[in-house]
Amino acid sequence: MSWDSYISSLTKSEWVDDAAILGSTPGQESVWAAAPGGWLKNVTAAEVKAIIASDRSSLFANGVTLAGRKCTVLRDALNVEGQNTMDIKMKTSEKEPDPFSFTIGRSHKAIIIAKGVKDAHGGKVNPPVFDMTTYLRKSNL
């Protein structure tokens, strides 16, 4: 199965700048598809495992990392049936002063990550990820 069309669908949104689809089942935590030129292709298996871990207690205090970049968790409904999304925001640094918004969605076998364009808030990035997550869950993927 090619996931490239799903990436194209996500990045077609005026609010999404980068996207990746990664496996979430044990042993499959790797990038399956990513937007050309984006940095989400560098998300690691360890980062995926931390995002989907059943123990959610430290997420708000410690945040998560995506491709080595620290992020703050704003909303975690990744394991809430019918929602299955998490909204996060990248922490700023001297090197990267813009706090980009991200939404992560979880289907049965994959996670979908979308990075918003500069100044896009999570409410704009979330809908395309939510819709894709819902479709993949209904397709049992």
Side-chain angles (χ1 to χ4, degrees):
M1 169 177 209
S2 174
W3 293 96
D4 292 333
S5 63
Y6 293 91
I7 295 295
S8 294
S9 176
L10 284 170
T11 56
K12 187 170 47 174
S13 166
E14 66 181 298
W15 302 107
V16 175
D17 179 53
D18 191 6
I21 298 176
L22 302 95
S24 66
T25 55
Q28 298 290 317
E29 301 97 343
S30 62
V31 176
W32 290 355
W39 54 261
L40 286 174
K41 67 179 178 281
N42 298 320
V43 173
T44 67
E47 291 169 335
V48 171
K49 289 175 187 177
I51 290 167
I52 64 173
S54 57
D55 179 8
R56 319 292 291 161
S57 62
S58 68
L59 287 178
F60 286 102
N62 300 331
V64 296
T65 58
L66 289 178
R69 291 161 173 91
K70 292 288 289 171
C71 300
T72 301
V73 176
L74 303 176
R75 188 185 64 83
D76 178 23
L78 202 63
N79 294 329
V80 176
E81 191 60 41
Q83 294 184 34
N84 305 104
T85 58
M86 173 192 286
D87 293 322
I88 64 177
K89 186 162 249 180
M90 190 171 85
K91 292 185 178 184
T92 60
S93 67
E94 283 185 26
K95 185 177 171 186
E96 297 183 82
D98 297 315
F100 292 100
S101 294
F102 295 82
T103 295
I104 301 171
R106 185 175 187 185
S107 70
H108 298 293
K109 299 177 183 179
I111 64 169
I112 300 95
I113 305 173
K115 172 182 167 255
V117 296
K118 183 179 177 185
D119 298 328
H121 58 79
K124 299 291 186 182
V125 181
N126 186 293
V129 175
F130 176 82
D131 292 346
M132 182 170 294
T133 300
T134 301
Y135 172 79
L136 292 173
R137 291 181 75 80
K138 286 180 180 176
S139 301
N140 206 28
L141 294 172

